[in-house]
Amino acid sequence: MKYIVRAVKYFLYIIILLVLMMVILILLKVVDADISTMFRNGYDSLWQIALMFACVAAVYPTFGYMKKETLLPGEFAQLRPGILDYMQLRGYELEKEDGENMTFRLRGVAGRITRMLEDRITFKRVFGGYELEGLRRDVVRLGYGLEHKFRKEEE
């Protein structure tokens, strides 16, 4: 279900961006405001564009989100303060804590909006560390950053 919701969000996000770009071009008098002259195929182009965006939006959540195991050896009591500090420095706040599992969200509204309210990073305790789940770019950045932070502290 989460996959479908993400795909619909991306479809709407892409459509909104297209509409905004077209409005800007119309206001700057770069293109004519009539759809039949704006696009090569006129009104037929609208469903073709929508179909193309639907295909992209349907596939994007597969590549845009991921799970990654991060090696953080140690007890939860030792790791928790370091993880909380690291995440706060990166603009995240603890949303929920369930045993040794934690969920973080961005503090700023602007960051949440640019990520279409898909800013949640979930830390699930696994043997040898945590499994991070969320947006690919955030999971990779935060995962490697946490590994580096705890490796430096051990040395």
Side-chain angles (χ1 to χ4, degrees), residues 2-14 49-65 116:
K2 189 187 293 188
Y3 187 91
I4 294 170
V5 170
R6 286 177 176 163
V8 169
K9 280 183 181 180
Y10 276 102
F11 178 73
L12 294 174
Y13 186 70
I14 292 169
I49 292 170
L51 182 63
M52 181 184 65
F53 287 163
C55 291
V56 171
V59 174
Y60 183 76
T62 302
F63 302 107
Y65 297 88
M116 293 180 300

Side-chain angles (χ1 to χ4, degrees), residues 103-150:
T103 304
F104 293 88
R105 301 239 15 210
L106 279 173
R107 281 192 301 257
V109 176
R112 285 186 173 175
I113 290 172
T114 59
R115 289 174 172 84
M116 293 180 300
L117 303 177
E118 293 286 343
D119 60 326
R120 185 174 283 120
I121 301 291
T122 303
F123 283 66
K124 181 180 175 188
R125 187 72 163 151
V126 295
F127 184 73
Y130 279 93
E131 179 184 76
L132 277 64
E133 180 181 3
L135 275 171
R136 179 176 298 272
R137 63 182 176 183
D138 293 337
V139 167
V140 170
R141 179 177 49 92
L142 294 170
Y144 287 127
L146 282 166
E147 286 178 351
H148 182 73
K149 172 187 173 55
F150 283 99

